[in-house]
Structures are given as structure tokens and as C-alpha cells.
Amino acid sequence: METWWRALTFSLGYNTSVVTLGAMLLAAAAGMVGAFVLLRKRALVSDAISHSTLPGLALAFILVGLATGDGRLLPALLLGAAASAALGLWAVQAISAHTRLGEDAAIGAVLSSFFAFGVVLITVIQSMAVAGQSGLTGYLVGATAGMLASEAKLIAACALGLLLAVMVLRRDLLLLCFDADFARTQGINTWRLDLIMLLLLMAIVVVGLRVTGLILIVALTIIPPVAARFWTDEPMRMVALAALLGALAGYLGVTLSSVREGLPTGPLIVLAAFLLFLVSFLVSPRRGVLASLLAHRRLRSRVHLRQGLLSLGRDEPIFDDLTLALLRRRGYIRRDGVPTEAGLAAARDAEHEEKLWALYRSRYPDDALHREHAGLVPIHEVLSPDAIMALEAQLMGAGRAAR
Amino acid sequence: MSEFMMFSLVPLTVAVIISMTCALLGNFLVLRRQSLIGDAISHVALPGIVVSFLLTGVLASSAMMLGAGVSALVTVGMIELIRRLGRVEASAAMGVVFTSLFALGVLLLEWHGASGVHLDVEHALYGNLESLIWFEGTGPGALVDPVALADLPPQLGRAAWVGLLVAGLLVVLRRHLVLGSFDPEFAASVRARPALVDLLLVTLVAIAAIAAFEAVGSIIVIAMFICPAAAARLMTNRLGRQIAWSQLFAVVSALLGYVLAGHGPGWLGFDLSVSAAGMIATLAGLILLGACLFGPRRHRTGAATAA
């Protein structure tokens, strides 16, 4: 606990602090790009990209190992990973654009066959006399424990660069996500922009390999944006929030993993992100489960109350328990079910409202369609006083004509 | 010959059976554009197995399979829950769930890694096809010798049972499945129960993935769910022929992959053998590549063929 607090306050040594900052920057950049990719409905493309880094990673390790005797050279490994990820990305694009297969099949095929080839190469490495073999497994599930400060600085610098690139491109990317056709009429080359977006995603995946491992970096590009989507409907805010949530997950995950020797960083970052998602999923005031549940209950009690009052007005018996309880709680009926003065008045109001709404619906059916639950909310909350006056007049006129 | 019987017959048979089973199911996954559910399920087999190990304390196959099965169902349930209640797009919901559960699995595994259990992430990913040795398989006579047959690795029997189960259920359900794959609304209108069939398909995928996972690792499972069926889809417009093609591709990649992994490097002059599971999956990918380039039905219906 105390170690965690020291990690949280950046007082656990220079190395840990650099790693923490690097992971936060990385996760923030991943969240931003991920938000655009999510809006473009291609969330799982990052899964294909991350798995297809493995053969390049292994190949770079073999080449560097043959040349120097130790395969662990971060820039070379990242370069190799980027090259094979680019190939995988191109394969996904080509398969889904030029054949009848869907993007899901393209993603699955690319990720499994590239990863499998990487596994083959790794078994080759295991039979080679090259040092640093155990370092390679760190790229599968991530490890920041043995990270050099120079490595952490490289990652942080790349992450910062990507963050800036996303900020510069954000308007174009947004246009692409929401209305690709309109973007095309504005002279934007959408094909190239799509490519740039995926290349940014790829860069983040590659840089993140060392931190979370190639399987879990996917999570950083998906979970924070999905969580951010719960809190806002405004895209730019969502992008910013995704970056913020990502950074928070990186902060919590890295600091937690420094508490004890051997705690893996990647899984902790991902689980921290999932926790943030879970909180958003449950309690977000707009789209959260709790909010939906409350809204549902409110609607139900409104329906029951209105039906109960209408029944009171028509002097019909009420049997539904919920309706009775609602009427009793508002003092509209006594314990034995006999309506009170207030209840009768409310019933008359309800009947009048119902008539006004019915008239409104028959006069302006198109407008009524656009109002949510038209007929259940008090009419003066929806229509202007003038409109209600007009309806009242029509209602009186209709009543007189009928008589 | 006896060397082949002892070291290669069982892995080869298991690889072929599992590849065929996965490819069979894969046909429907690819048609329904649900290919990635196989990916998700084979990722979450890891946490299921780890949790069942932590609960029971033994590495028994039955407990592990049960754990993996439960985690597969939990995954499908969570994906549906997040998709419906949170109004999140299906693929994103899938991404959230399987990465988080996989992270949980890795965390639990590393946490208990110190206790020296033979269970690690690499094993789960690559599988261990080469370890399925039949010690009693000393010659062709062992094939009819009940004592020697009793010594067959249990993974072979399980793979065979799962293969039979999947094939049998698909034969029984073929009309419902085909209907639901092409036109779910029509299927619902004629009471073909598309939702129920969906769930059953996912369950079968989970069963196949778990049986395969134990013997050959998850990477081959994902490849076999998708690559042969996708390649077959580019060969023909008829479902029956597509299934036949996918089975052919699965068998070819399993046999050729196994042989290449064992002997390929030797032919090139290197004294080593590479991961058989990895090689099989790589070959499946190469077959798909070939189909993408030369398959007679590779273009979308209605797309300009000259393009």
C-alpha cells in the first residue's frame, strides 16, 4: 500500500516515474486514435494490427541477434514490428476491399496467420544461440519492470508525437468518421485519410508493444473510447475524454504493477481501463444502466398514474397494485380506495389533458410523432401557451358543435 | 515406421480432426460475419482454465474444460449485455470483453506463476502438439492391440468426440443454420428459432475451441475457424461445395503444416524443428492468400470483374 502511494506520487525512483509518464502518454494517444477508429466502426482492426507485429518482431530479433549476439535492440524490434504490421494492415484492407469476404473475416485471417508465422519464427529463435530470448516474451504480455530509462524515454517521445499528430488531424478525422461522402466533396482524400488514421493506430500499437504486450494493446485502443462514449454525445469531448480515461488507466496500472515484483503491467493497465469502463457503463447519467433503469421506472409510474386518474374520473374500479400505491402516495385516494377531493380534481385535469393531447395528435400527427412520449408529460411543459390556447378553443368549439 | 507411429500419428490425427471440426463451424461464422467470435472465445479460454485451476488446485482436463466452457458462456453473455444495455457496437463490445478477461487470466497466471505450475501463456497460445506421444505405438500391430490403444493420449479421444458431436449437430440443424445464416428474419417467421440456433452455434464454437485449445493451442483454432472457410467462400457460390472445399483446405494445411514443421528446416539444412501448430496456421493463411489471388469467385457478386 505504501509502495503504491509512493508510486502514485512519483517518488519511487526516476525509472518508475519515466515509465509511468510514458505509459500515460501512450494510453492517452491510444484512447484518442481509438475514439476515431471506434466512431468509424472499425474497433477490431487494431486486433489484426497488433497480432501481425509478431513476425516482424521475431524476424528483427533474429537479424539483430545474428549480427550482434543479443537480439534486444528496441528501435530495431519496433521497426520490424511496424513493417510487418503495415503488411498485415494492407492485407486487411486489400481483402475487405477486393474480395467478397467481410472485414471481420479479413481481420481474423490476418491476425491468426501472421501470429502463427510469428510463433514459427519464435520456435526458430528458441533453437538459436542468441542472448535475451526471455526478453521477447515480454512483448506478448508486456513488462515494464526491466525497462531501461532510455527505452521509456523513446516510448514517451513517440507517444507525445502521436498525441500531437492526432490533435493536428482531429477535424479531418472527425469529418471522415461522421460523413465520409461529405468529406469527399470538401476535397479531402478519404482513402488517404483512412490510411493515415490506421497508420497512427499502427504506430501506437507498435510503440505500446513493450508496455502492455501485443495482445493487450488492443484493449487500450478500444476500452477507453467505449467508456468515454457513455459520458458525452459530442465527438471532440469524447476524444478528449478517451485520452483522459486512457491516461488514468495507464497511471493506475503502472503504479499498481510496481507494488510487487513480478506483477505484469499490461494486464493491470487493461483491468484498470475495464474498471473505468464498468463505472461508466453503470452510472453514466446519459447512457448508463442505472440511468436507463431510473428512466424506465419514471416512465412506468407516469403511465400508471395517468391510467389511474383516468379510471378515477370515469368511476371505474382499479385493481393494479402499483397504480393504487401511486395514487395513495399522492393523496388522490384514501386507504379504502375512495377518491379524495384532490384526487377528483386531478382526475378532471388528467381527462382534460388527455383530450388536449388527443386533439393535438389528430391535428398535428407529424409533430406529435417527433415528441417522445407525447401525451404523458403535462402539455404546458411541451407546447407554448399560445398553442395550448388555440387547442382549448378548438376543443370548446368541437364540444359545442357536438352538442 | 514405429517412430512415425509413436511420435507423429497421434499429433497428426489430432491436428486433422481439430482442423476439420473448426473449419466446418467456420463456414457458418464467415457467412454470418461473426468470424471474430471464435477469436474472442479462444482468448477467454485462458482465464477460464486459470480460474478452474485456482479453484480446484489440479490441472485436470475435465475441470479445465469446464472452466473454459463457463468462461466462453460468460463472455458471450457479457458481450450481449454490453451491446444491448450500453448500446455499444457489437465488435467494440467484443473487444472490451475479451481483452479484459484475457488480461485477468494473464494477471492470475503471473500472480501464481511462482508456484511452479506447468501452465504458461505461451503454452496456451502455441499449444503443444508435439507432446502427444503414443508410447505403446511401437508398430502397425499396435493399432489393433487393445492394450496399446488404451495408452493413446486422451486428447485424441476428446478431439474425436467433439468432432463427431459438432458434425452430428450440424447435420441435424443444417436447415435451421442455413436459413438463419442467410435470412434471419425469414427464419424467425417460419419458426426456425434463429436466436436459439445462434446460441447453439456459439456453444459449439466454444466446445470446439476448448477441445482444440488443450491439444493445439488457441492460435491454430482461430486460424482454422476463419482461413479455410474464407478461402472456400472464394471458390464457389454453393454452400455444400464451400463446406467440402473448407474441409479439403483444413486437411491439406494440417498434414502439410505438420510435415513442414518437422522436416522443412531439415530440408533447408537447419537442424531444428519449428512449432507445428504455428506452421499449420501459417499454411492455412497461405491457402487463403492463394484463394484471394486466384479463387474463381473472389469478387463480390455484382462487382465489376475487370476491377
Side-chain angles (χ1 to χ4, degrees):
Chain A
M1 199 66 215
E2 200 208 320
T3 331
W4 188 31
W5 176 248
R6 276 173 55 204
L8 279 176
T9 50
F10 291 98
S11 51
L12 203 65
Y14 178 68
N15 238 0
T16 317
S17 306
V18 175
V19 170
T20 311
L21 274 178
M24 286 172 69
L25 282 172
L26 175 81
M32 279 185 99
V33 178
F36 288 114
V37 178
L38 176 72
L39 289 176
R40 193 97 172 102
K41 296 200 195 323
R42 305 180 74 174
L44 283 174
V45 168
S46 58
D47 201 18
I49 295 177
S50 72
H51 280 77
S52 57
T53 55
L54 189 63
L57 208 59
L59 213 56
F61 188 92
I62 291 176
L63 290 180
V64 175
L66 284 179
T68 65
D70 186 340
R72 285 170 302 175
L73 182 67
L74 188 65
L77 291 182
L78 293 189
L79 217 59
S84 74
L87 193 64
L89 192 56
W90 175 79
V92 170
Q93 290 279 64
I95 290 176
S96 47
H98 296 302
T99 74
R100 54 161 47 162
L101 296 173
E103 189 164 54
D104 65 320
I107 290 173
V110 166
L111 82 86
S112 59
S113 41
F114 271 69
F115 192 78
F117 186 57
V119 168
V120 169
L121 289 176
I122 282 185
T123 46
V124 171
I125 292 175
Q126 280 164 355
S127 61
M128 281 168 55
V130 174
Q133 289 187 10
S134 61
L136 204 56
T137 53
Y139 287 92
L140 281 181
V141 292
T144 51
M147 200 190 275
L148 302 172
S150 63
E151 289 181 332
K153 275 180 192 157
L154 177 68
I155 289 169
C158 290
L160 195 63
L162 290 169
L163 208 58
L164 291 177
V166 177
M167 282 187 184
V168 170
L169 288 169
R170 64 183 194 283
R171 300 226 163 267
D172 289 348
L173 288 175
L174 191 65
L175 204 54
L176 177 73
C177 292
F178 278 97
D179 200 339
D181 289 330
F182 177 68
R184 224 164 285 135
T185 65
Q186 296 299 300
I188 293 174
N189 186 339
T190 52
W191 186 83
R192 201 170 57 199
L193 199 59
D194 246 336
L195 196 68
I196 290 174
M197 181 169 83
L198 294 178
L199 283 178
L200 281 176
L201 184 67
M202 187 192 89
I204 279 163
V205 167
V206 169
V207 173
L209 283 180
R210 186 76 171 80
V211 182
T212 64
L214 65 85
I215 299 171
L216 293 176
I217 183 70
V218 181
L220 281 187
T221 63
I222 298 181
I223 301 179
V226 171
R229 183 70 188 85
F230 279 99
W231 296 99
T232 173
D233 286 335
E234 201 173 304
M236 276 312 165
R237 259 189 220 153
M238 174 188 152
V239 172
L241 203 59
L244 204 69
L245 287 174
L248 191 60
Y251 176 59
L252 290 175
V254 174
T255 50
L256 265 178
S257 82
S258 61
V259 168
R260 221 186 69 181
E261 193 75 22
L263 275 182
T265 320
L268 282 172
I269 296 180
V270 174
L271 288 175
F274 183 70
L275 203 69
L276 293 175
F277 160 78
L278 208 60
V279 170
S280 315
F281 177 63
L282 291 178
V283 304
S284 133
R286 288 163 177 275
R287 304 160 59 113
V289 171
L290 221 58
S292 313
L293 216 64
L294 283 178
H296 176 73
R297 284 184 62 114
R298 215 171 318 145
L299 177 68
R300 198 177 55 169
S301 62
R302 238 182 223 159
V303 172
H304 275 268
L305 194 63
R306 172 60 63 87
Q307 290 301 330
L309 285 175
L310 289 179
S311 299
L312 275 189
R314 294 189 206 117
D315 213 10
E316 291 166 353
I318 301 167
F319 299 107
D320 189 82
D321 287 337
L322 180 65
T323 314
L324 287 173
L326 282 168
L327 288 174
R328 216 174 289 140
R329 203 179 307 152
R330 282 182 174 66
Y332 291 158
I333 54 173
R334 295 200 324 232
R335 287 203 152 278
D336 54 1
V338 178
T340 58
E341 277 301 307
L344 288 174
R348 276 193 300 275
D349 283 352
E351 209 167 343
H352 185 67
E353 283 249 344
E354 194 69 11
K355 273 187 194 144
L356 282 178
W357 273 119
L359 189 66
Y360 175 70
R361 274 194 297 268
S362 70
R363 284 290 153 102
Y364 313 103
D366 291 347
D367 292 355
L369 264 184
H370 290 297
R371 302 211 185 278
E372 213 182 343
H373 313 314
L376 279 176
V377 279
I379 198 163
H380 62 83
E381 284 180 14
V382 178
L383 301 182
S384 65
D386 291 351
I388 295 177
M389 290 279 273
L391 279 179
E392 295 270 14
Q394 285 176 17
L395 198 62
M396 299 242 283
R400 215 169 291 141
R403 217 172 292 144
Chain B
M1 187 62 196
S2 68
E3 197 181 318
F4 170 76
M5 296 277 296
M6 210 185 274
F7 294 108
S8 295
L9 182 64
V10 176
L12 211 50
T13 321
V14 169
V16 169
I17 293 177
I18 285 176
S19 300
M20 288 177 76
T21 311
C22 292
L24 192 58
L25 287 170
N27 280 299
F28 296 99
L29 293 182
V30 169
L31 274 182
R32 290 160 173 248
R33 311 219 152 197
Q34 289 180 337
S35 317
L36 291 169
I37 199 85
D39 179 33
I41 285 179
S42 40
H43 275 94
V44 300
L46 178 75
I49 286 176
V50 176
V51 168
S52 85
F53 171 73
L54 292 182
L55 288 181
T56 61
V58 283
L59 268 180
S61 302
S62 48
M64 277 170 38
M65 304 232 337
L66 193 68
V70 169
S71 72
L73 291 183
V74 167
T75 309
V76 174
M78 275 172 77
I79 292 174
E80 277 300 294
L81 208 67
I82 291 177
R83 201 170 66 84
R84 299 249 170 100
L85 289 183
R87 278 163 286 171
V88 175
E89 191 210 340
S91 65
M94 199 187 282
V96 170
V97 173
F98 87 79
T99 52
S100 304
L101 285 177
F102 188 82
L104 186 68
V106 175
L107 181 67
L108 290 175
L109 200 58
E110 303 268 319
W111 196 300
H112 284 259
S115 55
V117 185
H118 179 68
L119 188 71
D120 49 57
V121 179
E122 286 100 82
H123 177 86
L125 287 173
Y126 318 158
N128 213 349
L129 204 52
E130 292 87 345
S131 70
L132 302 177
I133 301 169
W134 186 20
F135 290 106
E136 296 292 323
T138 46
L143 279 179
V144 287
D145 179 6
V147 181
L149 285 180
D151 186 52
L152 277 173
Q155 285 91 342
L156 178 62
R158 268 199 287 278
W161 275 118
V162 168
L164 282 178
L165 175 78
V166 167
L169 272 175
L170 284 192
V171 169
V172 172
L173 288 173
R174 63 187 185 284
R175 288 183 185 287
H176 292 81
L177 256 178
V178 172
L179 216 51
S181 301
F182 285 104
D183 196 340
E185 271 120 47
F186 177 66
S189 73
V190 297
R191 303 222 181 135
R193 303 287 193 91
L196 197 67
V197 176
D198 258 1
L199 191 66
L200 206 68
L201 181 65
V202 171
T203 315
L204 283 181
V205 165
I207 292 174
I210 292 152
F213 177 82
E214 187 196 15
V216 299
S218 55
I219 191 61
I220 194 174
V221 181
I222 306 171
M224 281 302 158
F225 272 131
I226 301 168
C227 294
R233 176 100 177 83
L234 304 176
M235 300 300 290
T236 170
N237 281 335
R238 315 251 344 146
L239 182 60
R241 283 188 206 146
Q242 181 189 323
I243 291 176
W245 274 113
S246 74
Q247 296 297 296
L248 178 72
F249 289 148
V251 172
V252 168
S253 44
L255 291 179
L256 210 58
Y258 188 83
V259 173
L260 273 181
H263 303 290
W267 294 336
L268 290 176
F270 298 104
D271 184 28
L272 57 94
S273 62
V274 296
S275 158
M279 204 66 200
I280 293 173
T282 309
L283 269 185
L286 286 178
I287 289 177
L288 175 61
L289 177 67
C292 283
L293 293 177
F294 308 111
R297 297 276 179 274
R298 60 184 183 276
H299 297 293
R300 274 199 189 91
T301 320
T305 37

